[in-house]
């Protein structure tokens, strides 16, 4: 089992290399695209938040307040626009570990950072700018 | 095995310990998951046991505390079956197992599953009454606390045949305890009165209540002659733990230790959705408030951090009450230890949340302060008119201790412009009539800047000592 990393340390990459734990804060409405279901979720740990894409049955299986472990997940371009989202992908695993008892922060949000390819290393991404301190899809509660 | 176990060679001992542990694990797993072989597995357990069942009981207890809600129905049934077996042989620690199961009963849960557990346990207590009385009478006292509280909910339901049947058994058990074993019942302390009072509309309890307040000698219990003796006995926090499920306890403690004010909202939503969502569930708030006041005492480190303070969670819970009688019971739960406060045996940490809630609500929610103070003064006059002096004294001493310990100054209340002059006058009168020696070294303005969005509470460094939670 890979060691879990904090959300503040995730970096976009074209490989399933992210194992991490977080709590699910909010879920968007489920979208049905042909055969497949998908939805977006705001997840966070005590260091950062990020947007998580859920697919298929996972969309219904997880609820706000669930503590979740993601193994071999991928943090990459979502396809629409240039936003980086976390997902399990075909090779990752996502599993409920508990409920409620995890601290979190909503800022920074790793999906609201602008990432660019490192000029010194074309295989790596680096943070360029903060687009928004917190999620614009799931604004913080008043 | 016995011989080898005691052979004294440590490697043998280690090896056998491990084998013994694994056997216990396997037998418990077998009993719970393969019902048709359960009797054989239990026979094997009786054959190998060398520790009075202590290990087996501790494993079963972990299942009860950590897994109960996740178990499928057949496993729950097996669990009850094996608990009967363990009680039958008085396995070491069986009382803890019963207490663990009692904690999973939820008064306002009228689902088949919820009622099933209440049924199974009341049957167990009635069937084993005599042996429990001899072996572990304190577990009967715990069961009495639980079932009196469950009855308060169950007696508000009408027209449900299953609940009616259950009520009958619950009443039978409680009456048996109160009439036959009052010396065990009174071990609950003052909260026994609180629970009974909620049941006075039930004929069986109306008689008991009358005897208790009018002629306590009918209980023929040595050394007990007046209900005031119950008033003066603080209820141990272990009883309050009985009325929050292990999961509620975990989440409430997490809220009060790890959650900062700024992140509270999402946790509140999740907590309410899980535990208070259905309308009948709001009676749980009363138990939660008793738990927070008396069984969760934060360390000084937490008090001075930016964690959510107890008064804020209680204020939120009070605001979740929809029904008038629940709100009244919740306020009574909050102030209960004030009414009989005696600094020699009471803990100031139990009364602190009510005071801070009144004071810290003033800047933004003066309505809360007003309604709490009104309720407290109403209690002084009406809770027990025969013993109203005792209660006035208790409340006055409670204020007094809070001031002496520096939790707050009375000026904050008595000089608040937004509070009704009538209330302030009555408060002053209460304090002067019952206590001539009220200390004058108040702390003017100590908490005057405290607002409901809670800058860390300015509690003094000599914060009152607290008993460890669960003591």
């Amino acid at each position: 089992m890979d060691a879990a990393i904090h959300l503040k340390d995730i970096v976009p990459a074209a490989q399933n290399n992210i194992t991490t734990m977080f709590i699910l804060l909010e879920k968007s409405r489920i979208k049905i695209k042909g055969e497949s279901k998908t939805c977006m979720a705001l997840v966070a740990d005590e260091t950062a938040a990020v947007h998580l894409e859920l697919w298929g049955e996972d969309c219904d299986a997880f609820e706000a307040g669930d503590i979740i472990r993601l193994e071999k997940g991928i943090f990459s371009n979502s396809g629409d626009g240039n936003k980086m989202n976390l997902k399990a992908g075909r090779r990752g695993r996502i599993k409920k570990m508990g409920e409620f008892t995890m601290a979190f922060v909503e800022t920074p949000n790793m999906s609201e950072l602008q990432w660019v390819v490192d000029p010194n290393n074309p295989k790596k991404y680096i943070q360029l700018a903060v687009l928004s301190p917190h999620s614009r899809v799931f604004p913080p509660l008043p | 095995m016995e011989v080898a176990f005691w052979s004294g060679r440590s490697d043998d001992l280690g090896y056998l310990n491990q084998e013994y542990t694994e056997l216990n694990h396997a037998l418990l797993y077998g009993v719970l998951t393969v019902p048709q072989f359960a009797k054989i597995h239990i026979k094997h357990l009786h054959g190998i046991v060398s520790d009075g069942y202590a290990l087996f009981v501790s494993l079963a207890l972990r299942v009860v505390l950590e897994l109960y809600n996740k178990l499928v129905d057949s496993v729950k049934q097996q669990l009850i079956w094996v608990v009967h077996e363990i009680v039958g042989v008085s396995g070491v620690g069986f009382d803890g197992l019963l207490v663990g199961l009692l904690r999973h009963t939820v008064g306002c849960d009228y689902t088949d599953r919820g009622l099933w557990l209440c049924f199974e346990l009341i049957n167990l207590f009635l069937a084993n009454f005599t042996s429990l009385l001899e072996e572990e009478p304190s577990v009967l006292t715990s069961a009495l606390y639980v079932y009196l509280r469950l009855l308060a909910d169950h007696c508000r339901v009408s027209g449900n045949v299953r609940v009616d049947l259950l009520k009958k058994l619950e009443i039978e058990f409680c009456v048996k305890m109160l009439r036959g074993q009052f010396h065990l019942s009174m071990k609950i302390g003052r909260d026994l009165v609180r629970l009974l009072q909620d049941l006075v509309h039930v004929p069986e309890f109306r008689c008991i209540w009358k005897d208790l307040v009018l002629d306590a000698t009918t209980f023929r219990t040595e050394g007990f002659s007046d209900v005031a003796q119950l008033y003066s006995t603080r209820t141990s926090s272990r009883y309050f733990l009985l009325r929050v499920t292990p999961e509620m306890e975990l989440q409430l403690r997490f809220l009060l230790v790890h959650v900062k004010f700024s992140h509270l909202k999402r946790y509140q939503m999740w907590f309410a959705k899980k535990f208070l969502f259905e309308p009948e569930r709001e009676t749980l708030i009363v138990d939660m408030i008793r738990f927070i006041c008396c069984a969760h005492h934060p360390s000084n480190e937490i008090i001075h951090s930016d964690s959510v303070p107890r008064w804020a969670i209680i204020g939120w819970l009070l605001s979740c009450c929809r029904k008038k009688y629940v709100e009244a019971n919740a306020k009574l739960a909050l102030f209960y230890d004030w009414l009989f406060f005696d600094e020699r045996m009471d803990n100031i940490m139990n009364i602190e949340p009510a005071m801070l809630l009144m004071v810290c609500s003033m800047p933004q929610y003066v309505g809360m302060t007003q309604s709490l103070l009104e309720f407290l003064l109403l209690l002084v006059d009406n809770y027990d008119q025969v013993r109203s002096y005792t209660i006035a004294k208790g409340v006055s001493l409670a204020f007094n201790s809070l001031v002496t310990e520096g939790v707050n100054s009375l000026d904050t209340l008595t000089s608040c412009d937004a509070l009704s002059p009538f209330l302030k006058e009555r408060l002053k009168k209460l304090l002067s009539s019952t206590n001539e020696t009220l200390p004058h070294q108040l702390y003017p303005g100590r908490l005057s800047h405290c607002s409901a969005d809670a800058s860390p509470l300015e509690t003094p460094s000599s914060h009152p000592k607290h008993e460890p939670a669960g003591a």
Side-chain angles (χ1 to χ4, degrees), chain B residues 143-176:
Chain B
L144 174 67
Y145 185 87
V146 169
Y147 278 105
L148 284 174
R149 180 63 191 82
L150 289 176
L151 272 167
D153 287 332
H154 293 163
C155 287
R156 289 184 195 274
V157 178
S158 56
N160 182 327
V161 184
R162 288 201 71 193
V163 176
D164 287 344
L165 201 65
L166 178 60
K167 259 190 293 197
K168 251 185 169 166
L169 296 172
E170 290 173 336
I171 291 173
E172 183 191 334
F173 172 78
C174 292
V175 170
K176 200 170 173 158

mmCIF file of all heavy atoms in Angstrom, chain B residues 143-176:
data_model
loop_
_atom_site.group_PDB
_atom_site.id
_atom_site.type_symbol
_atom_site.label_atom_id
_atom_site.label_comp_id
_atom_site.label_asym_id
_atom_site.label_seq_id
_atom_site.Cartn_x
_atom_site.Cartn_y
_atom_site.Cartn_z
ATOM 1 N N ALA B 143 -29.382 -0.217 33.346
ATOM 2 C CA ALA B 143 -30.540 -0.561 32.518
ATOM 3 C C ALA B 143 -31.755 0.264 32.929
ATOM 4 O O ALA B 143 -32.535 0.703 32.079
ATOM 5 C CB ALA B 143 -30.842 -2.050 32.629
ATOM 6 N N LEU B 144 -31.892 0.527 34.239
ATOM 7 C CA LEU B 144 -33.019 1.340 34.699
ATOM 8 C C LEU B 144 -32.937 2.737 34.093
ATOM 9 O O LEU B 144 -33.923 3.269 33.588
ATOM 10 C CB LEU B 144 -33.028 1.426 36.230
ATOM 11 C CG LEU B 144 -34.082 2.369 36.817
ATOM 12 C CD1 LEU B 144 -35.491 1.839 36.565
ATOM 13 C CD2 LEU B 144 -33.872 2.589 38.314
ATOM 14 N N TYR B 145 -31.746 3.324 34.135
ATOM 15 C CA TYR B 145 -31.579 4.665 33.569
ATOM 16 C C TYR B 145 -31.998 4.671 32.099
ATOM 17 O O TYR B 145 -32.753 5.526 31.639
ATOM 18 C CB TYR B 145 -30.122 5.129 33.714
ATOM 19 C CG TYR B 145 -29.919 6.556 33.263
ATOM 20 C CD1 TYR B 145 -30.118 7.613 34.148
ATOM 21 C CD2 TYR B 145 -29.563 6.859 31.953
ATOM 22 C CE1 TYR B 145 -29.959 8.925 33.739
ATOM 23 C CE2 TYR B 145 -29.411 8.174 31.534
ATOM 24 C CZ TYR B 145 -29.603 9.202 32.433
ATOM 25 O OH TYR B 145 -29.466 10.502 32.019
ATOM 26 N N VAL B 146 -31.503 3.669 31.363
ATOM 27 C CA VAL B 146 -31.787 3.601 29.928
ATOM 28 C C VAL B 146 -33.284 3.428 29.673
ATOM 29 O O VAL B 146 -33.884 4.153 28.877
ATOM 30 C CB VAL B 146 -30.991 2.455 29.273
ATOM 31 C CG1 VAL B 146 -31.482 2.190 27.854
ATOM 32 C CG2 VAL B 146 -29.509 2.786 29.269
ATOM 33 N N TYR B 147 -33.911 2.506 30.390
ATOM 34 C CA TYR B 147 -35.309 2.221 30.077
ATOM 35 C C TYR B 147 -36.269 3.308 30.567
ATOM 36 O O TYR B 147 -37.308 3.540 29.946
ATOM 37 C CB TYR B 147 -35.703 0.816 30.555
ATOM 38 C CG TYR B 147 -35.251 -0.209 29.529
ATOM 39 C CD1 TYR B 147 -34.145 -1.019 29.738
ATOM 40 C CD2 TYR B 147 -35.907 -0.318 28.303
ATOM 41 C CE1 TYR B 147 -33.710 -1.915 28.779
ATOM 42 C CE2 TYR B 147 -35.476 -1.207 27.335
ATOM 43 C CZ TYR B 147 -34.385 -2.005 27.572
ATOM 44 O OH TYR B 147 -33.954 -2.876 26.602
ATOM 45 N N LEU B 148 -35.911 3.998 31.653
ATOM 46 C CA LEU B 148 -36.755 5.139 32.041
ATOM 47 C C LEU B 148 -36.736 6.187 30.936
ATOM 48 O O LEU B 148 -37.759 6.769 30.574
ATOM 49 C CB LEU B 148 -36.258 5.753 33.360
ATOM 50 C CG LEU B 148 -36.585 4.988 34.637
ATOM 51 C CD1 LEU B 148 -35.902 5.652 35.837
ATOM 52 C CD2 LEU B 148 -38.095 4.911 34.883
ATOM 53 N N ARG B 149 -35.554 6.388 30.394
ATOM 54 C CA ARG B 149 -35.417 7.389 29.340
ATOM 55 C C ARG B 149 -36.114 6.937 28.045
ATOM 56 O O ARG B 149 -36.765 7.732 27.365
ATOM 57 C CB ARG B 149 -33.922 7.660 29.114
ATOM 58 C CG ARG B 149 -33.599 8.665 28.056
ATOM 59 C CD ARG B 149 -34.133 10.041 28.378
ATOM 60 N NE ARG B 149 -34.015 10.896 27.200
ATOM 61 C CZ ARG B 149 -34.892 10.905 26.209
ATOM 62 N NH1 ARG B 149 -35.972 10.137 26.255
ATOM 63 N NH2 ARG B 149 -34.725 11.693 25.170
ATOM 64 N N LEU B 150 -35.973 5.643 27.724
ATOM 65 C CA LEU B 150 -36.644 5.124 26.524
ATOM 66 C C LEU B 150 -38.155 5.242 26.679
ATOM 67 O O LEU B 150 -38.869 5.602 25.734
ATOM 68 C CB LEU B 150 -36.265 3.662 26.284
ATOM 69 C CG LEU B 150 -34.844 3.369 25.805
ATOM 70 C CD1 LEU B 150 -34.612 1.870 25.702
ATOM 71 C CD2 LEU B 150 -34.580 4.020 24.455
ATOM 72 N N LEU B 151 -38.640 4.951 27.902
ATOM 73 C CA LEU B 151 -40.083 5.004 28.133
ATOM 74 C C LEU B 151 -40.645 6.398 27.880
ATOM 75 O O LEU B 151 -41.763 6.544 27.375
ATOM 76 C CB LEU B 151 -40.407 4.562 29.563
ATOM 77 C CG LEU B 151 -40.622 3.053 29.739
ATOM 78 C CD1 LEU B 151 -40.614 2.697 31.219
ATOM 79 C CD2 LEU B 151 -41.935 2.596 29.104
ATOM 80 N N ALA B 152 -39.871 7.414 28.234
ATOM 81 C CA ALA B 152 -40.357 8.780 28.018
ATOM 82 C C ALA B 152 -40.713 8.971 26.540
ATOM 83 O O ALA B 152 -41.693 9.651 26.212
ATOM 84 C CB ALA B 152 -39.298 9.782 28.454
ATOM 85 N N ASP B 153 -39.929 8.369 25.662
ATOM 86 C CA ASP B 153 -40.242 8.447 24.225
ATOM 87 C C ASP B 153 -41.344 7.462 23.855
ATOM 88 O O ASP B 153 -42.296 7.816 23.163
ATOM 89 C CB ASP B 153 -38.998 8.163 23.388
ATOM 90 C CG ASP B 153 -38.007 9.325 23.417
ATOM 91 O OD1 ASP B 153 -38.466 10.468 23.595
ATOM 92 O OD2 ASP B 153 -36.805 9.089 23.266
ATOM 93 N N HIS B 154 -41.199 6.222 24.327
ATOM 94 C CA HIS B 154 -42.164 5.185 23.925
ATOM 95 C C HIS B 154 -43.580 5.506 24.404
ATOM 96 O O HIS B 154 -44.553 5.135 23.762
ATOM 97 C CB HIS B 154 -41.718 3.814 24.454
ATOM 98 C CG HIS B 154 -40.450 3.340 23.791
ATOM 99 N ND1 HIS B 154 -39.662 2.327 24.294
ATOM 100 C CD2 HIS B 154 -39.829 3.753 22.661
ATOM 101 C CE1 HIS B 154 -38.626 2.130 23.494
ATOM 102 N NE2 HIS B 154 -38.700 2.988 22.507
ATOM 103 N N CYS B 155 -43.693 6.193 25.543
ATOM 104 C CA CYS B 155 -45.029 6.495 26.072
ATOM 105 C C CYS B 155 -45.707 7.638 25.331
ATOM 106 O O CYS B 155 -46.863 7.942 25.576
ATOM 107 C CB CYS B 155 -44.957 6.799 27.563
ATOM 108 S SG CYS B 155 -44.662 5.320 28.530
ATOM 109 N N ARG B 156 -44.989 8.283 24.443
ATOM 110 C CA ARG B 156 -45.627 9.334 23.648
ATOM 111 C C ARG B 156 -46.179 8.787 22.341
ATOM 112 O O ARG B 156 -46.762 9.523 21.551
ATOM 113 C CB ARG B 156 -44.630 10.461 23.352
ATOM 114 C CG ARG B 156 -44.311 11.261 24.586
ATOM 115 C CD ARG B 156 -43.416 12.429 24.289
ATOM 116 N NE ARG B 156 -42.858 12.954 25.524
ATOM 117 C CZ ARG B 156 -43.464 13.854 26.292
ATOM 118 N NH1 ARG B 156 -44.633 14.331 25.941
ATOM 119 N NH2 ARG B 156 -42.888 14.277 27.408
ATOM 120 N N VAL B 157 -45.950 7.496 22.109
ATOM 121 C CA VAL B 157 -46.443 6.875 20.885
ATOM 122 C C VAL B 157 -47.734 6.139 21.211
ATOM 123 O O VAL B 157 -47.818 5.454 22.228
ATOM 124 C CB VAL B 157 -45.413 5.849 20.360
ATOM 125 C CG1 VAL B 157 -45.928 5.147 19.115
ATOM 126 C CG2 VAL B 157 -44.097 6.531 20.070
ATOM 127 N N SER B 158 -48.737 6.301 20.368
ATOM 128 C CA SER B 158 -49.934 5.501 20.603
ATOM 129 C C SER B 158 -50.351 4.825 19.302
ATOM 130 O O SER B 158 -50.060 5.315 18.209
ATOM 131 C CB SER B 158 -51.064 6.368 21.150
ATOM 132 O OG SER B 158 -51.288 7.436 20.257
ATOM 133 N N GLY B 159 -50.987 3.671 19.451
ATOM 134 C CA GLY B 159 -51.503 2.973 18.278
ATOM 135 C C GLY B 159 -50.478 2.111 17.566
ATOM 136 O O GLY B 159 -50.722 1.625 16.472
ATOM 137 N N ASN B 160 -49.306 1.916 18.179
ATOM 138 C CA ASN B 160 -48.301 1.027 17.590
ATOM 139 C C ASN B 160 -48.229 -0.221 18.480
ATOM 140 O O ASN B 160 -47.779 -0.160 19.627
ATOM 141 C CB ASN B 160 -46.957 1.755 17.533
ATOM 142 C CG ASN B 160 -45.863 0.902 16.889
ATOM 143 O OD1 ASN B 160 -45.857 -0.322 17.018
ATOM 144 N ND2 ASN B 160 -44.941 1.560 16.201
ATOM 145 N N VAL B 161 -48.715 -1.356 17.935
ATOM 146 C CA VAL B 161 -48.849 -2.572 18.749
ATOM 147 C C VAL B 161 -47.496 -3.018 19.313
ATOM 148 O O VAL B 161 -47.394 -3.411 20.477
ATOM 149 C CB VAL B 161 -49.471 -3.709 17.905
ATOM 150 C CG1 VAL B 161 -49.697 -4.942 18.759
ATOM 151 C CG2 VAL B 161 -50.770 -3.242 17.275
ATOM 152 N N ARG B 162 -46.477 -2.959 18.481
ATOM 153 C CA ARG B 162 -45.152 -3.399 18.953
ATOM 154 C C ARG B 162 -44.648 -2.519 20.080
ATOM 155 O O ARG B 162 -44.093 -2.998 21.061
ATOM 156 C CB ARG B 162 -44.147 -3.388 17.796
ATOM 157 C CG ARG B 162 -44.374 -4.490 16.788
ATOM 158 C CD ARG B 162 -43.125 -4.752 15.993
ATOM 159 N NE ARG B 162 -42.079 -5.390 16.784
ATOM 160 C CZ ARG B 162 -40.818 -5.499 16.393
ATOM 161 N NH1 ARG B 162 -40.438 -5.018 15.249
ATOM 162 N NH2 ARG B 162 -39.931 -6.105 17.151
ATOM 163 N N VAL B 163 -44.830 -1.210 19.906
ATOM 164 C CA VAL B 163 -44.368 -0.290 20.955
ATOM 165 C C VAL B 163 -45.162 -0.537 22.242
ATOM 166 O O VAL B 163 -44.595 -0.527 23.342
ATOM 167 C CB VAL B 163 -44.479 1.185 20.499
ATOM 168 C CG1 VAL B 163 -44.104 2.136 21.625
ATOM 169 C CG2 VAL B 163 -43.583 1.438 19.295
ATOM 170 N N ASP B 164 -46.479 -0.798 22.097
ATOM 171 C CA ASP B 164 -47.300 -1.062 23.290
ATOM 172 C C ASP B 164 -46.791 -2.279 24.060
ATOM 173 O O ASP B 164 -46.701 -2.267 25.289
ATOM 174 C CB ASP B 164 -48.764 -1.277 22.886
ATOM 175 C CG ASP B 164 -49.416 0.047 22.475
ATOM 176 O OD1 ASP B 164 -48.832 1.105 22.792
ATOM 177 O OD2 ASP B 164 -50.475 0.008 21.830
ATOM 178 N N LEU B 165 -46.443 -3.314 23.312
ATOM 179 C CA LEU B 165 -45.937 -4.539 23.929
ATOM 180 C C LEU B 165 -44.608 -4.267 24.642
ATOM 181 O O LEU B 165 -44.371 -4.706 25.768
ATOM 182 C CB LEU B 165 -45.744 -5.581 22.816
ATOM 183 C CG LEU B 165 -45.705 -7.035 23.236
ATOM 184 C CD1 LEU B 165 -47.054 -7.439 23.814
ATOM 185 C CD2 LEU B 165 -45.388 -7.922 22.008
ATOM 186 N N LEU B 166 -43.769 -3.516 23.952
ATOM 187 C CA LEU B 166 -42.457 -3.179 24.500
ATOM 188 C C LEU B 166 -42.615 -2.343 25.780
ATOM 189 O O LEU B 166 -41.958 -2.608 26.792
ATOM 190 C CB LEU B 166 -41.659 -2.417 23.437
ATOM 191 C CG LEU B 166 -40.262 -1.930 23.830
ATOM 192 C CD1 LEU B 166 -39.366 -3.094 24.217
ATOM 193 C CD2 LEU B 166 -39.629 -1.160 22.673
ATOM 194 N N LYS B 167 -43.501 -1.361 25.699
ATOM 195 C CA LYS B 167 -43.745 -0.486 26.847
ATOM 196 C C LYS B 167 -44.078 -1.296 28.096
ATOM 197 O O LYS B 167 -43.595 -1.031 29.182
ATOM 198 C CB LYS B 167 -44.956 0.421 26.540
ATOM 199 C CG LYS B 167 -44.573 1.813 26.116
ATOM 200 C CD LYS B 167 -45.765 2.746 26.056
ATOM 201 C CE LYS B 167 -46.771 2.418 24.981
ATOM 202 N NZ LYS B 167 -47.717 3.479 24.632
ATOM 203 N N LYS B 168 -44.943 -2.301 27.911
ATOM 204 C CA LYS B 168 -45.370 -3.143 29.030
ATOM 205 C C LYS B 168 -44.168 -3.774 29.730
ATOM 206 O O LYS B 168 -44.065 -3.760 30.956
ATOM 207 C CB LYS B 168 -46.262 -4.268 28.491
ATOM 208 C CG LYS B 168 -47.708 -4.139 28.861
ATOM 209 C CD LYS B 168 -48.414 -5.372 28.370
ATOM 210 C CE LYS B 168 -49.801 -5.460 28.924
ATOM 211 N NZ LYS B 168 -50.577 -6.465 28.206
ATOM 212 N N LEU B 169 -43.271 -4.348 28.919
ATOM 213 C CA LEU B 169 -42.081 -4.991 29.490
ATOM 214 C C LEU B 169 -41.183 -3.960 30.159
ATOM 215 O O LEU B 169 -40.623 -4.197 31.234
ATOM 216 C CB LEU B 169 -41.307 -5.726 28.384
ATOM 217 C CG LEU B 169 -42.020 -6.892 27.710
ATOM 218 C CD1 LEU B 169 -41.225 -7.390 26.513
ATOM 219 C CD2 LEU B 169 -42.240 -8.031 28.700
ATOM 220 N N GLU B 170 -41.030 -2.816 29.512
ATOM 221 C CA GLU B 170 -40.156 -1.777 30.059
ATOM 222 C C GLU B 170 -40.701 -1.265 31.386
ATOM 223 O O GLU B 170 -39.946 -1.054 32.347
ATOM 224 C CB GLU B 170 -40.035 -0.621 29.052
ATOM 225 C CG GLU B 170 -39.238 -1.009 27.807
ATOM 226 C CD GLU B 170 -39.250 0.062 26.712
ATOM 227 O OE1 GLU B 170 -40.185 0.874 26.670
ATOM 228 O OE2 GLU B 170 -38.327 0.069 25.883
ATOM 229 N N ILE B 171 -42.024 -1.091 31.439
ATOM 230 C CA ILE B 171 -42.634 -0.622 32.690
ATOM 231 C C ILE B 171 -42.459 -1.685 33.775
ATOM 232 O O ILE B 171 -42.086 -1.382 34.914
ATOM 233 C CB ILE B 171 -44.126 -0.275 32.466
ATOM 234 C CG1 ILE B 171 -44.242 0.975 31.590
ATOM 235 C CG2 ILE B 171 -44.836 -0.066 33.804
ATOM 236 C CD1 ILE B 171 -45.652 1.326 31.149
ATOM 237 N N GLU B 172 -42.669 -2.946 33.397
ATOM 238 C CA GLU B 172 -42.504 -4.040 34.366
ATOM 239 C C GLU B 172 -41.105 -4.004 34.982
ATOM 240 O O GLU B 172 -40.949 -4.076 36.200
ATOM 241 C CB GLU B 172 -42.738 -5.385 33.656
ATOM 242 C CG GLU B 172 -42.663 -6.581 34.596
ATOM 243 C CD GLU B 172 -42.620 -7.911 33.837
ATOM 244 O OE1 GLU B 172 -43.121 -7.967 32.684
ATOM 245 O OE2 GLU B 172 -42.074 -8.882 34.390
ATOM 246 N N PHE B 173 -40.104 -3.853 34.125
ATOM 247 C CA PHE B 173 -38.721 -3.845 34.613
ATOM 248 C C PHE B 173 -38.468 -2.631 35.512
ATOM 249 O O PHE B 173 -37.914 -2.758 36.612
ATOM 250 C CB PHE B 173 -37.747 -3.842 33.431
ATOM 251 C CG PHE B 173 -36.314 -3.640 33.843
ATOM 252 C CD1 PHE B 173 -35.582 -4.688 34.391
ATOM 253 C CD2 PHE B 173 -35.693 -2.399 33.705
ATOM 254 C CE1 PHE B 173 -34.262 -4.509 34.786
ATOM 255 C CE2 PHE B 173 -34.377 -2.212 34.105
ATOM 256 C CZ PHE B 173 -33.660 -3.265 34.639
ATOM 257 N N CYS B 174 -38.878 -1.457 35.063
ATOM 258 C CA CYS B 174 -38.578 -0.238 35.827
ATOM 259 C C CYS B 174 -39.299 -0.243 37.181
ATOM 260 O O CYS B 174 -38.719 0.158 38.198
ATOM 261 C CB CYS B 174 -38.957 1.009 35.020
ATOM 262 S SG CYS B 174 -37.901 1.233 33.573
ATOM 263 N N VAL B 175 -40.548 -0.704 37.177
ATOM 264 C CA VAL B 175 -41.295 -0.736 38.434
ATOM 265 C C VAL B 175 -40.653 -1.739 39.400
ATOM 266 O O VAL B 175 -40.508 -1.483 40.600
ATOM 267 C CB VAL B 175 -42.790 -1.065 38.186
ATOM 268 C CG1 VAL B 175 -43.516 -1.344 39.494
ATOM 269 C CG2 VAL B 175 -43.463 0.085 37.439
ATOM 270 N N LYS B 176 -40.217 -2.866 38.849
ATOM 271 C CA LYS B 176 -39.535 -3.878 39.654
ATOM 272 C C LYS B 176 -38.287 -3.297 40.332
ATOM 273 O O LYS B 176 -38.010 -3.580 41.503
ATOM 274 C CB LYS B 176 -39.124 -5.023 38.717
ATOM 275 C CG LYS B 176 -38.850 -6.332 39.385
ATOM 276 C CD LYS B 176 -38.711 -7.420 38.316
ATOM 277 C CE LYS B 176 -38.280 -8.700 38.971
ATOM 278 N NZ LYS B 176 -38.602 -9.872 38.179
#
